[in-house]
Amino acid sequence: MSKYDVVVIGSGPGGYVAAIRCAQLGLKTAIIEKYNTLGGTCLNVGCIPSKALLDSSHHYQDAVQHFDKHGIDIADIKLNFTQMIARKDAVVAQTSGGINYLMEKNGISVYQGTGSFVDNTHIKLSKSDGSKEQIEAAHTIIATGSKPASLPFIELDKKRVITSTEALSLETVPKHLIVIGGGVIGLELGSVYKRLGAEVSVIEYLPTIVPGMDSMLSKELQKSLKKQGIKCHTSHQVTSVENTGKEVLVKATDKKGNPVEFKGDFSLVAVGRKAFTEGLGLENTGVQVNERGQIETDTQLRTHVPNIYAIGDVVKGAMLAHKAEEEGTMAAEIIAGQQPHINYNLIPGVVYTWPEVAAVGKTEEQLKKEGIQYKVGSFAMRALGRARASMDTDGQIKVLADAQTDEILGVHMIGARAADMIAEAVIAMEFRASSEDIARSSHAHPTYTEAFKEACLAVHQRAIHS
Ligand code: FAD
Ligand code: NAI
């Protein structure tokens, strides 16, 4: 029987990063993945394919709606959706293949099969060819991720009533896509299909879309999406979803309790994701799960069994690839005897709509609730030379700073390239910068990043361009 210092179960961004860090630290490491490709949800049916389609659909929309204004006339622009999906598949294959290379480079043993605990130190592998094998692990890191959640009365037939996985591989552009859930998946994939010509209706239970984010962001994003033609029906409660054969009928009640109906050809159910532990044999260990099915860990990501750790979507916290990666690194370093730390308050959140939405730290609502005194500085993108040059003038940046110390407590951005720009705010906050520190740092002109500097200047009532 093969013996390892560490066995990682699951090869998503949590698992494969954990395995690499273990190998870097000199630990004999194996990784188990039940699918034929490595990379988990993120690489295969999540971050990477969704961003590939967001990018392609953005190019198409630009060509159809904006190129003429730039003085580029292209006659007869046609959508080749089959090619768009094929390019997405090629990006996924290349990225997943890259993980195989990284495993080999770092000397990590890769096992294809479902990993299931026999006891706290032995894992049984059930391979897709039917064969079985057992390996021994001094330590195990569980990184089995998550699966789409649904509502009790919805039957996900995966043909017309679909999850994000099917929405990433449709054969035709929907005529009318009814999205249930105005969160990250619903708005990103809704944007893809709106840009490609679909009618898109988003039904959200709560009063705002992207409900966990600062209310400035949800308001601004909803305004932008409305301009693009996406209809967001907030405060609506879905009561039934039916595939009638030719179409999907979604019934709901609006904010006044009146019944409303939506008819479309596809309904994307995007009401969150749930931790995945099926088939893992947790019952053969002392590992415990909470009422939401998430594996319980302490602050060092240790489960109730000291040599078994759990990371990423299968434990509590934001379901984000970069959060899973940080936890993978942390679990590996703790096993190796180090004392790493994650500042969960500084894990950024991004929505890859256009304009992009990105945030880090506390929202205004949270600061109010916590009774923290703060100052606000905002800057509108339309006042920025760079934004006007590229005609991406929607959005703004809001900086929240401590009223006494001026330390930046939260940064909320909506605008072109916010996804990349949020990194500056994360670094500033990791180094506990004041808004004046940013206001006094030179930002290249003309760039979108000047909006962050201006918002910091605005905290001190001294923005230059507004
Ligand atoms: P996963 O990536 O889910 O990987 C878990 C792996 O474990 C899977 O490959 C699974 O097959 C395997 N596994 C499970 N059980 C077993 C077993 N018993 N034996 C062997 N293998 C097993 N996050 C972002 O940060 N940015 C984004 O832009 C983004 N976009 C997304 C878009 C979509 C459409 C979706 C669905 C998600 C997106 N996410 C994004 C979320 C991101 O994909 C997850 O947060 C991330 O993948 C979690 O990583 P993980 O390693 O915890 O688990
Ligand atoms: P989500 O939690 O972002 O959004 C779900 C939405 O559905 C919420 O707004 C919620 O209020 C709403 N909802 C819940 N029940 C409902 C009901 N009965 N009727 C109508 N609306 C209802 O979850 P989503 O979009 O499914 O994404 C899952 C996870 O994947 C997220 O937690 C996110 O972190 C991750 N993800 C991250 C991305 C990114 O970082 N850019 C992109 C896509 C997914």
Side-chain angles (χ1 to χ4, degrees), residues 9-16 32-35 37 39-48 50-51 113-116 143-147 164-165 168 185 188-189 273 276 278-280 311-314 318-324 350 352:
I9 308 180
S11 72
Y16 84 74
I32 307 173
E33 171 54 57
K34 67 177 177 176
Y35 289 138
T37 55
T41 304
C42 178
L43 269 64
N44 292 286
V45 288
C47 327
I48 299 300
S50 61
K51 266 78 254 178
T114 299
S116 181
T144 49
S146 63
K147 284 274 177 278
S164 54
T165 302
L168 291 166
I185 291 183
E188 289 187 0
L189 294 177
R273 292 177 62 85
F276 183 77
E278 248 167 65
L280 198 50
I311 60 168
D313 280 12
V314 79
M319 287 183 159
L320 295 172
H322 43 285
K323 178 258 195 186
V350 174
Y352 295 82

Side-chain angles (χ1 to χ4, degrees), residues 196-225:
L196 300 181
E199 182 187 348
V200 175
S201 304
V202 175
I203 309 175
E204 167 58 49
Y205 178 70
L206 291 174
T208 60
I209 56 167
V210 285
M213 299 191 102
D214 191 281
S215 61
M216 178 279 281
L217 293 178
S218 32
K219 272 187 216 138
E220 288 291 316
L221 181 60
Q222 192 163 339
K223 247 193 308 183
S224 272
L225 295 177

Side-chain angles (χ1 to χ4, degrees), residues 145 194 226 316 389:
K194 179 69 213 167
K226 191 176 174 189
K316 70 175 186 326

Side-chain angles (χ1 to χ4, degrees), residues 55-343:
D55 227 45
S56 295
S57 60
H58 195 156
H59 288 312
Y60 176 72
Q61 188 187 34
D62 265 349
V64 172
Q65 295 181 2
H66 303 138
F67 275 14
D68 58 340
K69 297 183 190 75
H70 286 273
I72 307 165
D73 289 328
I74 310 177
D76 226 11
I77 298 163
K78 279 203 198 85
L79 175 67
N80 182 343
F81 186 57
T82 309
Q83 166 58 20
M84 202 176 271
I85 294 287
R87 187 196 80 93
K88 179 267 302 178
D89 289 340
V91 171
V92 167
Q94 189 191 26
T95 312
S96 169
I99 308 299
N100 286 86
Y101 162 77
L102 290 174
M103 295 300 106
E104 205 180 312
K105 182 182 161 204
N106 285 284
I108 297 161
S109 305
V110 177
Y111 290 92
Q112 190 280 321
T114 299
S116 181
F117 284 100
V118 175
D119 56 35
N120 288 341
T121 49
H122 293 88
I123 298 161
K124 182 178 73 186
L125 273 150
S126 309
K127 304 182 188 178
S128 53
D129 64 8
S131 63
K132 297 205 186 315
E133 187 179 343
Q134 195 160 308
I135 57 177
E136 191 175 321
H139 302 89
T140 302
I141 300 176
I142 303 172
T144 49
S146 63
K147 284 274 177 278
S150 184
L151 299 173
F153 52 84
I154 295 182
E155 192 198 328
L156 289 166
D157 60 49
K158 303 197 174 177
K159 292 188 171 67
R160 292 202 175 274
V161 184
I162 59 177
T163 70
S164 54
T165 302
E166 295 76 48
L168 291 166
S169 292
L170 291 179
E171 284 170 9
T172 54
V173 175
K175 288 185 186 62
H176 182 191
L177 177 66
I178 305 165
V179 177
I180 302 175
V184 207
I185 291 183
L187 299 178
E188 289 187 0
L189 294 177
S191 293
V192 166
Y193 288 109
K194 179 69 213 167
R195 293 168 190 172
L196 300 181
E199 182 187 348
V200 175
S201 304
V202 175
I203 309 175
E204 167 58 49
Y205 178 70
L206 291 174
T208 60
I209 56 167
V210 285
M213 299 191 102
D214 191 281
S215 61
M216 178 279 281
L217 293 178
S218 32
K219 272 187 216 138
E220 288 291 316
L221 181 60
Q222 192 163 339
K223 247 193 308 183
S224 272
L225 295 177
K226 191 176 174 189
K227 269 203 278 185
Q228 294 166 40
I230 295 181
K231 293 174 195 143
C232 294
H233 304 269
T234 52
S235 300
H236 274 57
Q237 186 172 4
V238 174
T239 50
S240 75
V241 178
E242 193 188 343
N243 177 354
T244 62
K246 284 193 209 111
E247 60 178 17
V248 183
L249 175 65
V250 177
K251 290 186 182 166
T253 48
D254 68 10
K255 53 188 89 172
K256 291 186 181 139
N258 297 322
V260 278
E261 282 187 9
F262 301 84
K263 283 181 188 157
D265 45 350
F266 290 92
S267 179
L268 166 62
V269 180
V271 293
R273 292 177 62 85
K274 52 176 195 272
F276 183 77
T277 55
E278 248 167 65
L280 198 50
L282 290 184
E283 62 282 5
N284 301 324
T285 68
V287 174
Q288 289 179 22
V289 297
N290 65 20
E291 67 291 347
R292 298 182 61 193
Q294 298 160 326
I295 294 180
E296 284 192 344
T297 60
D298 63 13
T299 52
Q300 298 211 310
L301 301 168
R302 256 192 211 98
T303 66
H304 283 79
V305 180
N307 68 316
I308 303 179
Y309 293 73
I311 60 168
D313 280 12
V314 79
V315 301
K316 70 175 186 326
M319 287 183 159
L320 295 172
H322 43 285
K323 178 258 195 186
E325 287 179 28
E326 294 306 329
E327 290 186 338
T329 301
M330 177 157 151
E333 291 178 352
I334 287 171
I335 291 169
Q338 299 184 359
Q339 292 183 317
H341 169 75
I342 296 173
N343 185 350

